[in-house]
Amino acid sequence: MRLKKWFAAALALVTAFGLTACTGGDESTKEAASGSYVETIKQRGKLVAGVKYDTFLFGYKDPQDGQVKGFEIDLMKELAKRMLGDENKLELKEVNSKTRMKMLQGGDIDLICATMTITDQRKQEIDFSRVYFMAGQSLLVPVNSPIQSVKDTAGKKVATAKGATSGKNLEAVEPNAKIELFDNYADAFTALRAGRVDALTTDDSILMGMQQQDPNFKIVGGQFTQEPYGIGVDKRNKDLLEYVNKFLDEIMQDGTYDNLYKKWFKKDPPKDLPREAVQESPTTK
Ligand code: GLU
């Protein structure tokens, strides 16, 4: 009898501890488990988006006025407007290729909209929306560089960002390239401009922004991977994922997406943007 009581007490303790551990974390993650995460965001009155601050055209903090601007910022403003009735009910948090997934899983941000490629490997950890942008990996080199294709990077120093698909992709295509990893693309670009590396590799969409900022560089080598971007959502928040997918479908149908695309990229969006990621790049297999 006494033993039974002791056992019951121990069981209660373990259960209580287990429950605490499960619901641990910040407010947003706690509520996520209980049901509608979109409701949680609405009650909070603010959508928290993880975006880039150093990626011209997508998410870039303008040193002139301190504002973060870009295609992905406008997408997030539109989402906040449709979800919360006001595009200003948006809080931006800076992420980079290395921090974004951890910040999402830790409940620091509600979603990731940060030039993030949908890969099978990442899909095991987080959910992705439908594809909203299609990029491909390429190379940025000084205008007078002898590098013309990815094969020419053999024995050359090539910069990219930690946590990105780019380093592994290049390794797979040209194993003799000397890859140098930086915390973010701003640092990688600084190294290229200073001549400390011979090339920079990442998505052509990002390289385009760098090239616009500094015409002493050119993009070479074509696209040697496919990088379909998706909005990242925590696996626990399926209703948010559904909301985001509906939102993307809606803006692609009502012309908002086309207008934003033209605003930032000065051309029409591709007609054949797939819904699902095409798993063709070395790191997406
Ligand atoms: N789209 C690639 C990736 O998700 C490269 C760009 C980035 O690092 O954000 O890794």
Side-chain angles (χ1 to χ4, degrees):
M1 185 67 182
R2 255 175 97 189
L3 200 71
K4 242 191 201 166
K5 249 190 194 162
W6 181 88
F7 182 71
L11 190 74
L13 229 129
V14 166
T15 314
F17 181 77
L19 280 177
T20 320
C22 283
T23 54
D26 80 339
E27 280 307 305
S28 49
T29 8
K30 242 186 248 177
E31 299 203 20
S34 71
S36 170
Y37 192 68
V38 175
E39 250 342 285
T40 304
I41 296 172
K42 285 184 179 169
Q43 272 163 24
R44 192 204 294 143
K46 187 176 69 176
L47 175 72
V48 187
V51 297
K52 294 276 185 83
Y53 276 25
D54 68 347
T55 305
F56 201 57
L57 302 178
F58 286 86
Y60 179 73
K61 190 166 180 176
D62 188 341
Q64 305 281 330
D65 57 11
Q67 297 292 309
V68 187
K69 300 169 187 173
F71 178 63
E72 292 177 328
I73 307 304
D74 282 353
L75 284 182
M76 290 299 97
K77 280 185 184 167
E78 192 62 36
L79 178 60
K81 191 161 114 192
R82 295 189 189 207
M83 189 188 278
L84 305 167
D86 182 355
E87 67 168 42
N88 295 314
K89 290 188 173 167
L90 172 70
E91 186 185 332
L92 299 174
K93 284 199 183 170
E94 182 178 10
V95 300
N96 62 39
S97 312
K98 203 178 127 202
T99 60
R100 59 193 164 195
M101 217 130 85
K102 281 200 188 84
M103 283 176 73
L104 182 71
Q105 290 171 321
D108 296 323
I109 50 179
D110 296 322
L111 36 79
I112 301 170
C113 190
T115 65
M116 188 168 192
T117 301
I118 304 167
T119 70
D120 283 346
Q121 205 184 355
R122 287 172 178 166
K123 269 182 358 197
Q124 286 172 15
E125 290 193 55
I126 65 171
D127 283 337
F128 284 98
S129 71
R130 60 154 299 164
V131 175
Y132 69 87
F133 189 91
M134 188 57 108
Q137 191 170 337
S138 198
L139 298 163
L140 187 73
V141 296
V143 278
N144 58 0
S145 168
I147 298 173
Q148 285 175 9
S149 75
V150 69
K151 287 283 156 203
D152 297 334
T153 60
K156 297 276 198 282
K157 287 185 189 163
V158 186
T160 192
K162 290 177 188 165
T165 49
S166 322
K168 286 184 194 141
N169 282 343
L170 179 61
E171 205 178 344
V173 180
E174 182 41 72
N176 293 319
K178 293 181 187 156
I179 297 160
E180 301 211 359
L181 297 175
F182 292 83
D183 281 335
N184 53 58
Y185 290 111
D187 290 352
F189 193 29
T190 302
L192 181 67
R193 281 167 130 167
R196 290 197 296 272
V197 294
D198 304 295
L200 192 161
T201 190
T202 185
D203 304 340
D204 53 357
S205 47
I206 300 176
L207 300 179
M208 236 156 57
M210 292 175 180
Q211 208 256 333
Q212 277 183 27
Q213 286 178 297
D214 192 336
N216 295 312
F217 296 90
K218 62 179 180 185
I219 299 171
V220 295
Q223 291 189 337
F224 56 91
T225 70
Q226 283 195 314
E227 307 290 328
Y229 295 173
I231 294 177
V233 176
D234 192 291
K235 277 195 179 291
R236 289 167 291 189
N237 304 334
K238 298 288 181 205
D239 68 317
L240 177 60
L241 179 69
E242 205 179 302
Y243 193 100
V244 167
N245 274 326
K246 276 204 192 117
F247 159 76
L248 288 173
D249 285 343
E250 230 173 75
I251 61 166
M252 283 180 194
Q253 272 156 25
D254 70 15
T256 311
Y257 176 89
D258 286 30
N259 288 340
L260 293 180
Y261 194 99
K262 279 185 226 159
K263 172 182 169 189
W264 289 102
F265 307 112
K266 314 284 181 232
K267 58 180 180 190
D268 288 328
K271 294 268 171 284
D272 55 350
L273 190 71
R275 275 193 76 80
E276 299 295 325
V278 192
Q279 305 295 329
E280 275 183 8
S281 302
T283 47
T284 55
K285 284 187 181 145

